Amino acid sequence: PDGALAPPWSCCRRTPLAVSRYAGAGQAHVKTGTLNDTRAIAGYLLDQSGRRWIVIMMVNHVNAVQTQAAQDALFAWVFTRP
């Protein structure tokens, strides 16, 4: 492909990440980002049944840097859904 239809995040990580810190054995393509008082994560996650989910979380708050545990909990919840 010539890239004309490439998604806008194609410059980001394209290799699957092991989601071990979230749930153990899933795979995800994710992009994280930070700005002053903002923290975000977005991407695709394969759950334990092999279903693909779109996961997005953005926090815009003076304490945004402290939201890592909430991001981890979101990915763990999606990964382990029945």
Side-chain angles (χ1 to χ4, degrees):
D2 65 2
L5 298 177
W9 57 86
S10 62
C11 63
C12 307
R13 180 178 279 283
R14 297 174 82 181
T15 357
L17 292 173
V19 189
S20 58
R21 85 173 198 214
Y22 300 114
Q27 295 227 338
H29 292 170
V30 297
K31 174 69 175 111
T32 59
T34 57
L35 292 172
N36 291 341
D37 300 333
T38 304
R39 186 173 189 119
I41 188 167
Y44 299 93
L45 171 69
L46 292 178
D47 69 11
Q48 61 188 355
S49 298
R51 295 173 294 194
R52 184 176 309 225
W53 294 88
I54 297 170
V55 181
I56 301 167
M57 179 178 178
M58 186 170 120
V59 178
N60 186 12
H61 188 273
V62 68
N63 294 325
V65 72
Q66 298 173 7
T67 62
Q68 184 66 55
Q71 290 180 356
D72 292 348
L74 172 64
F75 272 72
W77 176 74
V78 171
F79 179 78
T80 58
R81 288 180 50 90

